[in-house]
Every structure is written in structure tokens, then in C-alpha cells.
Amino acid sequence: MTATTPVLELVEVTKHFGAIKAVDGVSFAVMPGECVGLVGDNGAGKSTLVKIISGYHPQTSGSMQIQGQRVSFASPSDSRQHKIETVYQDLALVEQLDVAANFFLGREKYTGWGRLLRYLDRKVMQSQAREELQRIGISIPRMRATVSELSG
Ligand SMILES: Nc1ncnc2c1ncn2[C@@H]1O[C@H](COP(=O)(O)OP(=O)(O)OP(=O)(O)O)[C@@H](O)[C@H]1O
Ligand SMILES: [Mg+2]
């Protein structure tokens, strides 16, 4: 890897949903430190492209490289391992759940046997969520409060 290796590079990526060509041969590179915007009409394929990059949809053809290494993602957790994360334009919070449950939505922590038994490690999630929020200067008086009970 050199200083000019793209952080992310897509080559001729396509995505078909049956007869619909949602993404049709997209190629671009993102260099270190670059902030790239993706612009297009409604239905142009922006969201689909983001979903491919974040491992939610497999592409129909084309390839993706991260720091010069070819990657293929079977799931969002694969793309997360490469430090790819999607931040949605709406808050995308579940109002009925507390802060920690929202924080770990889709990447919940389980106790020892919990993954098998679907038993969540709420204590660990609460304390890690609190630590991360404190790190960015947000203090939540009551971590058990549901999102609907909190102000903006
Ligand atoms: N899961 C799906 N199944 C079938 N077709 C889909 C699916 N997701 C998206 N499409 C189609 O793919 C095309 C691209 O949609 P996409 O949502 O990626 O566009 P977009 O650029 O994000 O649009 P917008 O600006 O409205 O958000 C559209 O024709 C859409 O109907
Ligand atoms: Mg969209």
C-alpha cells in the first residue's frame, strides 16, 4: 500500500433486481482524507450502491477494493470489519428501546452462552454505550430511559 492507494475503490459495479438495473457499471475511488458525495436523481441507485458498499446487498458484477485488497461482503458485519459504517439521514432510532439497545442495534452483545440462547448482555451494552457517549461529551442521566422519553 502507498499513500496514493485508494481507501475504497469500485470497478464497474452493477446491481440488478430482476429486470431492473439499479446500479449500472459504477467505478470510482476514494482517496485517504477525501470526502466524496454521491449525487443523482430519485431512483438513480445511490441507496443501492451504499447498501452494496455496506454489505447489505451483494453486487451482481464488478469488484470492490479496500486499501488495495479485493473484498467481498456477505453481510453488513463483514463490511464493518473494514470500518465501514452507514449513518442514516434520519435518526433511525427505535423509540421504544433505551439508549444502549439503540446503540447496539443489529450488533448486540451476548453473554457467554447468550449467542446460542439469544440472551443479551445488557450490563456490558449499557456501560459501553455510556463510556462512548461520555467520550463525546454526552451524559445521559438515566441510561434505562427509552428514546421516546428523551428530548432531542
Ligand atoms: N430491493 C429492491 N428490489 C427491487 N428494486 C429495487 C430494490 N431497491 C431498489 N430498487 C430499485 O432500484 C432503483 C434504484 O433505487 P435506489 O433506492 O438505489 O435509488 P436512489 O438513488 O437511492 O433514489 P432516492 O434519491 O429516491 O433515494 C430504483 O428503480 C428502485 O426501485
Ligand atoms: Mg435513496
Side-chain angles (χ1 to χ4, degrees):
M1 202 184 80
T2 66
T4 53
T5 305
V7 182
L8 172 71
E9 185 170 13
L10 270 66
V11 180
E12 286 294 314
V13 169
T14 67
K15 174 69 187 174
H16 298 175
F17 294 105
I20 298 171
K21 281 187 184 170
V23 175
D24 189 12
V26 172
S27 302
F28 69 89
V30 181
M31 303 309 289
E34 236 181 356
C35 181
V36 175
L38 187 59
V39 182
D41 285 341
N42 290 135
K46 305 177 295 293
S47 296
T48 304
L49 194 63
V50 168
K51 286 175 187 169
I52 292 169
I53 295 168
S54 57
Y56 182 79
H57 284 317
Q59 72 253 35
T60 303
S61 64
S63 65
M64 233 182 340
Q65 294 200 347
I66 292 189
Q67 289 178 326
Q69 304 269 354
R70 191 164 171 160
V71 290
S72 87
F73 300 146
S75 71
S77 60
D78 285 354
S79 88
R80 251 178 228 131
Q81 301 218 321
H82 291 274
K83 301 200 157 77
I84 291 173
E85 193 61 76
T86 307
V87 180
Y88 294 92
Q89 63 192 39
D90 51 18
L91 284 174
L93 296 171
V94 180
E95 299 250 310
Q96 295 84 354
L97 297 179
D98 65 25
V99 174
N102 271 282
F103 207 89
F104 284 96
L105 208 59
R107 72 200 80 180
E108 287 79 5
K109 301 272 179 198
Y110 294 94
T111 56
W113 287 92
R115 190 165 288 282
L116 274 173
L117 304 170
R118 314 297 296 165
Y119 198 80
L120 298 178
D121 197 338
R122 293 188 191 282
K123 263 193 193 148
V124 165
M125 290 196 289
Q126 297 268 347
S127 69
Q128 284 189 11
R130 185 184 290 113
E131 263 171 43
E132 286 303 318
L133 289 170
Q134 272 170 0
R135 204 166 58 79
I136 56 170
I138 295 174
S139 122
I140 306 239
R142 202 160 56 87
M143 286 296 288
R144 294 252 168 202
T146 63
V147 164
S148 63
E149 294 174 280
L150 300 171
S151 71

